Amino acid sequence: MTIAIDWHLARALLEWQVELGVTDAVLAEPVDRFARVEERLDAEAQRAAPQVSGARTPVAAAPDDGPDAVAEATRLALAAQDLPALAEALQEFPYCELRRGARNCVFSDGNPNARLMIIGEGPGADEDRQGRPFVGKAGQLLDQMFAAIGLSRGSPDPNASFYVTNTVPWRPPANREPTPDELAMLRPFLLRHIELAAPEVLVLVGNVACAALLGKRGITKLRGRWTTAQGIAAMPMIHPASLLRNPEAKREAWADLLAIKARLQGGDRDPH
Ligand code: URA
């Protein structure tokens, strides 16, 4: 039976999907999932087929891993001599699958000369649409939090501004966390980004930034304690998206903000 899809039916189907929470068409080309099922069934049938006695099982071709993506990322990142060159190298980096589902390569925002640099997790839907980090609800809270200690993205004064980026520049599908492989592949760009921006203080918001730069997670234990990342004083903080879900944690975030303010003013206030 063929169902003719006219304009009204197509619209009703789209509205139904939007009601279910679909916000983006992730791929430019439609995926024929029936063909995929057939391919899988074929592969399973081949694996289940009895082997002819004495015949050698065909050796699968060694997986062609292609170039070492981490080495390539390191080479390209180190070759970039300034932030625009690094942004361009990242934009052109072909090996990370995340880029396939993203609209924009979200590099950074704020004042690159700021003394404070914030590292988040990865772009969400709003960031992907606008091409700037932290512009959705979590980003608005981040701006309010740092405004409370006198810092904004827009200020040209390095003492009164901040610079912000993420561990990965492309939105992970369905806002999942970047995988350890993705983090490892893109880490050389992040390290070079920090090196070129050369902030005095880093703020690592959330577990993923801590995993990428400290090699550990556990933000509720890590937050509020000064540590060092890439030789720079670093303060782990609870992610603003988490604060939106658990507003009671804002008290701790405020203590961390005061510690950051004191550090920037020359004092070294540790809330613990
Ligand atoms: N959350 C992040 O970690 N980064 C963004 O850019 C937006 C939301």
Side-chain angles (χ1 to χ4, degrees), residues 106 119-124 127 132-136 138-139 165-166 205 239 241:
V106 179
I119 317 285
E121 178 179 324
E127 291 76 19
R132 289 168 58 215
F134 281 104
V135 290
T165 188
N166 280 307
V205 292
H239 196 289

Side-chain angles (χ1 to χ4, degrees), residues 60-148:
D64 177 10
D65 288 333
D68 177 342
V70 177
E72 192 57 7
T74 306
R75 188 184 68 74
L76 292 168
L78 292 179
Q81 295 305 309
D82 54 24
L83 291 171
L86 186 69
E88 202 179 316
L90 193 49
Q91 170 103 35
E92 317 255 289
F93 184 68
Y95 302 113
C96 183
E97 282 290 306
L98 288 178
R99 61 175 300 137
R100 271 145 66 68
R103 285 184 200 167
N104 275 303
C105 178
V106 179
F107 185 67
S108 69
D109 200 19
N111 180 355
N113 299 315
R115 294 172 65 207
L116 182 90
M117 179 171 184
I118 301 174
I119 317 285
E121 178 179 324
D126 294 315
E127 291 76 19
D128 184 40
R129 253 191 303 275
Q130 295 189 35
R132 289 168 58 215
F134 281 104
V135 290
K137 287 213 168 72
Q140 286 157 24
L141 178 56
L142 184 93
D143 284 345
Q144 285 165 11
M145 287 162 60
F146 282 88

Side-chain angles (χ1 to χ4, degrees), residues 117-259:
M117 179 171 184
I118 301 174
I119 317 285
E121 178 179 324
D126 294 315
E127 291 76 19
D128 184 40
R129 253 191 303 275
Q130 295 189 35
R132 289 168 58 215
F134 281 104
V135 290
K137 287 213 168 72
Q140 286 157 24
L141 178 56
L142 184 93
D143 284 345
Q144 285 165 11
M145 287 162 60
F146 282 88
I149 56 164
L151 306 181
S152 73
R153 307 184 196 209
S155 168
D157 177 356
N159 289 304
S161 53
F162 66 84
Y163 183 57
V164 58
T165 188
N166 280 307
T167 57
V168 298
W170 295 288
R171 179 193 180 193
N175 292 344
R176 66 158 170 77
E177 279 194 6
T179 64
D181 280 354
E182 288 159 355
L183 285 181
M185 188 187 294
L186 296 167
R187 193 165 175 273
F189 290 104
L190 179 61
L191 299 188
R192 185 70 174 149
H193 202 156
I194 295 170
E195 194 172 27
L196 290 170
E200 279 169 48
V201 171
L202 285 168
V203 177
L204 313 179
V205 292
N207 268 320
V208 175
C210 292
L213 289 167
L214 304 177
K216 50 188 169 187
R217 302 171 63 102
I219 192 65
T220 49
K221 292 239 165 65
L222 294 169
R223 64 138 287 273
R225 294 176 192 275
W226 285 106
T227 181
T228 310
Q230 300 307 110
I232 299 170
M235 173 61 80
M237 280 186 76
I238 295 177
H239 196 289
S242 219
L243 295 177
L244 288 171
R245 289 190 297 270
N246 306 300
E248 66 280 9
K250 284 186 182 169
R251 203 167 62 89
E252 274 107 27
W254 178 238
D256 300 345
L257 286 167
L258 290 179

